[in-house]
Amino acid sequence: MVIPPPARPPRIIKFLKPYVLKMHFSNKYVSAQVIHTPTATVASSASSQEKALRSSLETTRDVAAAAKIGKILAERLLLKDIPAVTVHLKREQKYHGKVKAVIDSLRETGVKLL
């Protein structure tokens, strides 16, 4: 059984930024996903755990892997006609290193950041 997200009044939905980029970095892998907030569903995702990507990456956890994940995610977003996303950083994440690599590769590929 799927529980639908709570209904929000239309005046609030108008000001929400619908697509949010969330990133997760473990000791082994890098993953990023874009979430459609009004419906609380994943619009697109990319991870260094995917079998097709593992062969093209030297390691699955460094800055180069993060940049590759950002580029692949951006291509998938543009295929789904999602031109812009908002970045959601966790408290401990700063715009540096892997986070910067993902965001910069998104920007270079053509996705706008709000």
Side-chain angles (χ1 to χ4, degrees), residues 84-109:
V85 296
T86 304
V87 178
H88 178 265
L89 296 178
K90 296 177 186 174
R91 180 177 280 177
E92 69 271 3
Q93 289 179 335
K94 294 183 170 64
Y95 183 73
H96 179 74
K98 295 177 192 174
V99 174
K100 183 179 179 189
V102 171
I103 293 173
D104 285 347
S105 60
L106 272 172
R107 192 179 292 134
E108 289 170 4
T109 311

Side-chain angles (χ1 to χ4, degrees), residues 1-5 9 12 18 34 57 61 72 76 78 83 93-94 99-100 102-105 110 114:
M1 182 168 105
V2 177
I3 300 172
I12 293 176
V34 174
L57 299 172
R61 62 183 184 188
I72 291 169
R76 290 177 183 174
L78 293 175
Q93 289 179 335
K94 294 183 170 64
V99 174
K100 183 179 179 189
V102 171
I103 293 173
D104 285 347
S105 60
L114 302 176

Side-chain angles (χ1 to χ4, degrees), residues 1-8 36-41:
M1 182 168 105
V2 177
I3 300 172
R8 294 184 173 140
H36 186 243
T37 51
T39 59
T41 58

Side-chain angles (χ1 to χ4, degrees), residues 40-62:
T41 58
V42 176
S44 183
S45 66
S47 175
S48 58
Q49 287 180 309
E50 297 175 15
K51 273 194 168 186
L53 296 178
R54 274 195 232 160
S55 61
S56 65
L57 299 172
E58 286 184 32
T59 63
T60 58
R61 62 183 184 188
D62 62 351

Side-chain angles (χ1 to χ4, degrees), residues 22-34:
K22 293 191 178 187
M23 297 167 276
H24 179 72
F25 306 100
S26 69
N27 289 335
K28 285 186 171 184
Y29 302 109
V30 176
S31 64
Q33 60 184 5
V34 174

